[in-house]
Amino acid sequence: WKADSSTSSPTGGSISTVSLPLKRQQPGVCGLDNSGNSCYLNAVLQCLCSTVPLVEHLLHQGTRKQLARHKCQVAEVFVRLLEEMWLGRSSRCTPAEARSAVCSIHPQFNNYSQQDAQELLLFLLNALHDDLKRCSYYPICTVNPPSFLSDRNRKCPAAEGEPTVVSHLFEGQLSYRTLCTHCSHQAHSTQSFTVLSLPIPKDTTKCSLQDCLSLFFQASTLTGGDQMLCSVCGVRRNTTILTALDKPPEILMLHLKRFGCKGKKNMKLKTNVLFSMENLDLTPFLSSPSAQHTSYCLYAVVNHTGQLDMGHYTALCRNALTRSWYCFDDSVVSEVQDCLVQSSNAYILLYSRGAFNRPKISGL
């Protein structure tokens, strides 16, 4: 279970927000100290900390015992951080151990340069998935457990392709239908995804998230040097590619492609992408009609302010206990009004199928 990623990496800066004073410390509402241009890591950790099914699974006693038994470095460190953020009493903590664990696997993060939050998110989820595959048993700890969990002691061999709570929650599937424009021969293939990287319409200051999704799923034709070999014609032909959503994920992560090139110049698109906080509907993009629930609720946002070469990451997350939104600017945490979640700084949007219920965590 791997995901591809390729984006430019923005660098450090600051952010300000109109907010409400934080009345008292709440479980899951904990600031993270910046250890030197680590705002990209802190923002991603806050979003994962707000993903209730993932937190429930990792903080389950059975999961923690298995992770310790198999010496799963990244997962164990992440669990300890979740314990501090959900069960601890401090209003802030330092994710230094989590950063070291990530750096030990991916040396490109082992410096004090700003990195791309989307790349870090994918690397971290892949590392958690790889660790969880090594565990022999997976506990049930959610109201609606993943389909691959049939009882508390179901054995799950640690083999390539085996499901984990990470793949169950975050993995979806796209379908590709290719059509030879000469003989009309069709071929079909599928590809798993974790994050959908959505293009933003050019030459506009405002658009909708549906516009970005429509642009991603629109038909395209490969011509010239990009022609594909037609198995019927026996030669390369112009080929139309139709992309659709085969399997919507439980957690939908949408990456807005704000960083790119215009000619030889690197640039950031500051387009204000208007997104739904409730009832994001993916039905128009399904490969076939489905009875599955494909309407999503927003629960976390990674924001980026500034330019390509000077910027700062923060996170906006909805707490499942208080049902309020909070802005996480490294160690500074403040409650924010719902109307402030929408902004032109949105970079990664995290949606769930329905709002999360109160977390079922022992000791909470």
Side-chain angles (χ1 to χ4, degrees):
W1 182 80
K2 297 291 179 184
D4 295 328
S5 162
S6 59
T7 63
S8 303
S9 297
T11 54
S14 62
I15 185 175
S16 60
T17 179
V18 180
S19 60
L20 301 174
L22 192 58
K23 297 178 182 178
R24 62 186 180 88
Q25 184 59 28
Q26 296 284 350
V29 183
C30 179
L32 297 174
D33 293 333
N34 191 314
S35 56
N37 277 335
S38 64
C39 58
Y40 69 97
L41 172 64
N42 291 347
V44 166
L45 290 173
Q46 292 290 2
C47 292
L48 294 180
C49 173
S50 299
T51 306
V52 170
L54 179 66
V55 175
E56 286 180 330
H57 184 88
L58 292 177
L59 290 185
H60 190 279
Q61 289 295 335
T63 302
R64 286 192 267 189
K65 288 179 182 178
Q66 288 298 319
L67 292 175
R69 180 180 301 174
H70 292 272
K71 299 180 179 180
C72 300
Q73 180 189 10
V74 173
E76 283 190 271
V77 166
F78 187 57
V79 166
R80 285 195 288 271
L81 180 63
L82 290 179
E83 287 176 340
E84 286 190 76
M85 298 176 76
W86 277 95
L87 304 175
R89 297 181 179 179
S90 176
S91 62
R92 57 191 286 185
C93 61
T94 303
E97 195 180 18
R99 184 174 187 173
S100 296
V102 171
C103 292
S104 67
I105 299 174
H106 301 288
Q108 66 266 42
F109 296 110
N110 191 18
N111 54 59
Y112 291 98
S113 299
Q114 186 66 270
Q115 302 288 342
D116 185 75
Q118 186 235 358
E119 289 184 353
L120 186 278
L121 174 60
L122 292 173
F123 283 132
L124 184 54
L125 286 176
N126 283 331
L128 285 173
H129 174 72
D130 288 342
D131 272 0
L132 290 168
K133 282 195 304 183
R134 297 166 57 189
C135 297
S136 300
Y137 298 92
Y138 295 91
I140 288 181
C141 51
T142 59
V143 176
N144 297 309
S147 58
F148 63 88
L149 302 175
S150 62
D151 59 68
R152 185 172 297 278
N153 292 319
R154 176 176 177 181
K155 191 168 184 178
C156 188
E160 187 66 30
E162 287 294 340
T164 70
V165 70
V166 175
S167 59
H168 169 76
L169 290 175
F170 296 96
E171 186 178 281
Q173 185 171 278
L174 294 173
S175 70
Y176 298 98
R177 187 157 52 93
T178 59
L179 174 68
C180 174
T181 59
H182 182 77
C183 72
S184 297
H185 172 69
Q186 295 188 29
H188 180 266
S189 62
T190 60
Q191 181 184 25
S192 296
F193 72 90
T194 309
V195 175
L196 291 183
S197 289
L198 305 182
I200 298 175
K202 297 180 180 179
D203 303 321
T204 181
T205 58
K206 183 185 293 185
C207 70
S208 70
L209 184 59
Q210 289 288 338
D211 293 332
C212 299
L213 285 163
S214 296
L215 199 56
F216 178 89
F217 285 103
Q218 75 176 4
S220 60
T221 301
L222 303 180
T223 61
D226 295 325
Q227 288 180 324
M228 295 181 66
L229 178 65
C230 175
S231 59
V232 174
C233 297
V235 295
R236 292 185 177 276
R237 298 288 192 186
N238 288 353
T239 306
T240 298
I241 299 180
L242 303 172
T243 306
L245 188 58
D246 248 9
K247 175 196 169 188
E250 294 297 315
I251 302 296
L252 176 68
M253 299 192 293
L254 302 176
H255 160 235
L256 301 176
K257 297 173 70 174
R258 294 196 178 276
F259 305 106
C261 299
K262 189 173 183 180
K264 295 183 178 179
K265 184 179 179 181
N266 293 327
M267 60 175 293
K268 176 187 176 181
L269 293 176
K270 296 186 178 180
T271 308
N272 188 11
V273 179
L274 304 177
F275 49 85
S276 302
M277 293 182 64
E278 295 180 351
N279 302 318
L280 173 66
D281 187 14
L282 297 183
T283 302
F285 311 109
L286 295 177
S287 57
S288 59
S290 173
Q292 294 185 40
H293 178 64
T294 54
S295 182
Y296 288 80
C297 296
L298 185 75
Y299 73 91
V301 182
V302 173
N303 283 330
H304 180 270
T305 56
Q307 302 295 331
L308 180 67
D309 56 350
M310 180 61 69
H312 181 60
Y313 285 106
T314 58
L316 288 167
C317 302
R318 184 177 186 272
N319 184 271
L321 289 173
T322 66
R323 301 185 185 278
S324 297
W325 283 86
Y326 297 88
C327 176
F328 297 92
D329 187 352
D330 290 327
S331 59
V332 179
V333 182
S334 53
E335 185 177 350
V336 298
Q337 298 172 335
D338 292 7
C339 62
L340 294 177
V341 175
Q342 171 71 58
S343 82
S344 58
N345 297 322
Y347 183 52
I348 304 173
L349 305 170
L350 287 85
Y351 286 87
S352 63
R353 293 203 200 201
F356 294 135
N357 294 321
R358 179 183 175 88
K360 296 184 179 298
I361 300 173
S362 178
L364 189 61

